Amino acid sequence: MNIARNARTAVAGLPLAGLAVVETVAFSVLVTAMALLGAGIGLFLIPAAALFTRGTVDVTRRLAAARLDGGIPAPYLPEPPRVGGLKGWWNRTQWILTDPATWRDLAWTLVNPVVGIALVLLPLALIAFGVFGLLMPLLWEDITSNGGNNWYWFIKVTDSQSALFALALGVPTLLAGLASAPALLRAHAQLARTLLAPTETSAKVLHLTRTRSEVVSSSAAELRRIERDLHDGAQARLVALGMNLGVAEQLLAKDPDAVRAILADTRKASASALNELRDLIRGIHPPVLADRGLADAVRALALDSPLDVTVTADLPGRAEAPVESALYFALSEALTNAAKHAAPTHVDIDLWYADGRVRAQVSDDGHGGADPSRGTGLRGIERRLAAFDGLLAVTSPVGGPTTLTLEIPCALS
């Protein structure tokens, strides 16, 4: 047992106990505001009271999350768009009162001041009582002479011998307080997770809201890219084609040789414009993906890659077009990231279908160190998959190898 670390853990219960007192005030304020809703005043008080309660409870989430793997995410449903006047106040109040997290916060602020304080202060109480037992041989005479409580557990201290018995009991009491501190504070954190973590429904709503926002942002960015490519590429070439044809029309009678040269240039420009349009269409939805399915499209992607790529596919059917498109571009992004950052000599791509999910695994022998939190490439893959409730798992220790596992739930035709 690490005595110093356990002692620090026990002392960490003090701010949690103080916070429980503040939560009692928050409970009273919010309940009072709700009680005044019938009088109309609560309409204006509930949003402020809920903000105070949520801010207080969020501090508890952060402190408790330090003792739990995965932390405790905020469970609150998204706030509705703000509007002015009484309608805006009513919308906010309705949003707060219909959010299950509000009632779970109230339950926590009611339970924590009783159960929570007992859990976080019990180790400190045992430690303090153990120290008191150790000091009993020095203090018992003053305590007895001043009429104080001279009982220590079941021992009445009246002389030096009984004081030594109290000292002997103080040692296990002190050790019990130190030993129980991590477990009791972890139990407090688990209680906080039980009451303050998102419910299954709110987690789904939050996930759908976040993914919808990301999909909308990605779609808007994709539309801007297509517009920019059309404006700067094919549109410019088509304008130039029109100008060349106008010049050729004017020179047709005067200089046939110049017209012939202009038409030759125009033919080359039209071929370039056609290639650019084909590239643009391929970037939106590759023809090979539409015609031959995901497996062959990924094989074609591997052939175009500068890396040495091996593709293994076992797909007994085809997924819906949006799912295939999402996986195709996610794998394309994965290959691009590998080529840009990992410097691998070989990449393996495996595609298969199992348990109602299309899965893909991209493994390379590069130098590793891939982290979704540090780059936009992996975050882009996550956003593509999240739109279909898909997942991305990354295993990439420094020095390699790197393995990306992608999956999307779907049915195959």
Side-chain angles (χ1 to χ4, degrees):
M1 179 176 63
N2 190 320
I3 294 177
R5 182 183 61 199
N6 286 18
R8 288 194 299 270
T9 302
V11 173
L14 282 175
L16 289 170
L19 193 60
V21 176
V22 180
E23 288 171 348
T24 303
V25 177
F27 174 84
S28 303
V29 170
L30 185 54
V31 169
T32 303
M34 290 178 177
L36 293 172
L37 183 61
I41 305 174
L43 189 68
F44 306 99
L45 296 180
I46 287 176
L51 184 65
F52 171 53
T53 303
R54 290 181 176 188
T56 305
V57 173
D58 270 337
V59 177
T60 300
R61 278 194 193 91
R62 289 195 293 272
L63 292 176
R67 308 189 184 283
L68 297 171
D69 293 334
I72 304 177
Y76 306 111
L77 297 179
E79 183 178 357
R82 295 202 176 192
V83 295
L86 285 175
K87 184 179 179 181
W89 286 101
W90 172 249
N91 287 346
R92 292 198 69 201
T93 301
Q94 189 179 33
W95 159 60
I96 290 167
L97 294 180
T98 56
D99 190 345
T102 299
W103 303 99
R104 291 164 71 86
D105 284 354
L106 275 177
W108 171 255
T109 55
L110 186 63
V111 170
N112 188 44
V114 181
V115 180
I117 284 183
L119 288 173
V120 299
L121 291 187
L122 181 57
L124 273 177
L126 290 172
I127 291 171
F129 200 49
V131 172
F132 177 64
L134 297 179
L135 297 176
M136 187 60 79
L138 303 176
L139 302 176
W140 74 269
E141 290 183 350
D142 292 335
I143 293 172
T144 304
S145 61
N146 290 316
N149 179 22
N150 59 345
W151 283 89
Y152 189 80
W153 289 115
F154 52 85
I155 297 174
K156 187 174 183 178
V157 181
T158 56
D159 52 30
S160 298
Q161 184 178 6
S162 56
L164 290 175
F165 288 145
L167 184 149
L169 273 177
V171 174
T173 303
L174 174 62
L175 293 177
L178 291 170
S180 64
L184 289 176
L185 265 73
R186 195 177 302 112
H188 177 268
Q190 290 287 359
L191 177 64
R193 173 179 279 175
T194 300
L195 288 177
L196 299 180
T199 63
E200 184 177 353
T201 301
S202 61
K204 287 182 179 179
V205 171
L206 291 170
H207 175 72
L208 290 174
T209 302
R210 183 176 64 253
T211 54
R212 181 181 64 182
S213 176
E214 291 177 346
V215 168
V216 169
S217 299
S218 298
S219 298
E222 189 69 11
L223 287 174
R224 287 193 297 271
R225 181 190 69 81
I226 293 170
E227 181 182 16
R228 185 175 61 252
D229 289 347
L230 284 172
H231 181 273
D232 297 341
Q235 178 177 299
R237 292 188 181 278
L238 291 174
V239 170
L241 286 177
M243 294 175 63
N244 284 347
L245 291 175
V247 172
E249 186 179 8
Q250 294 175 2
L251 295 177
L252 184 59
K254 301 178 182 178
D255 192 349
D257 292 335
V259 171
R260 189 177 296 107
I262 291 173
L263 292 176
D265 290 339
T266 302
R267 185 177 64 253
K268 293 178 182 178
S270 67
S272 299
L274 183 60
N275 288 333
E276 287 188 3
L277 287 173
R278 285 173 175 166
D279 291 340
L280 183 62
I281 293 170
R282 191 176 297 112
I284 299 172
H285 193 79
V288 66
L289 181 61
D291 296 340
R292 304 185 61 180
L294 180 62
D296 285 338
V298 173
R299 291 189 180 98
L301 193 66
L303 292 174
D304 292 337
S305 173
L307 303 173
D308 178 23
V309 183
T310 300
V311 178
T312 304
D314 182 15
L315 298 176
R318 293 193 59 174
E320 294 181 352
V323 173
E324 286 190 336
S325 180
L327 277 170
Y328 173 85
F329 285 110
L331 292 171
S332 175
E333 183 70 30
L335 284 177
T336 301
N337 287 344
K340 287 172 60 178
H341 305 297
T345 59
H346 185 75
V347 178
D348 287 309
I349 299 178
D350 294 314
L351 282 167
W352 73 98
Y353 184 79
D355 302 325
R357 295 171 179 268
V358 174
R359 290 185 170 92
Q361 192 170 77
V362 183
S363 305
D364 68 66
D365 56 0
H367 51 64
D371 185 354
S373 64
R374 296 204 313 261
T376 58
L378 293 176
R379 286 288 299 124
I381 294 175
E382 285 184 330
R383 285 195 296 269
R384 284 188 185 276
L385 301 181
F388 301 91
D389 288 334
L391 298 173
L392 169 68
V394 180
T395 303
S396 183
V398 176
T402 295
T403 301
L404 307 183
T405 303
L406 305 77
E407 66 173 42
I408 293 181
C410 66
L412 298 187
S413 62

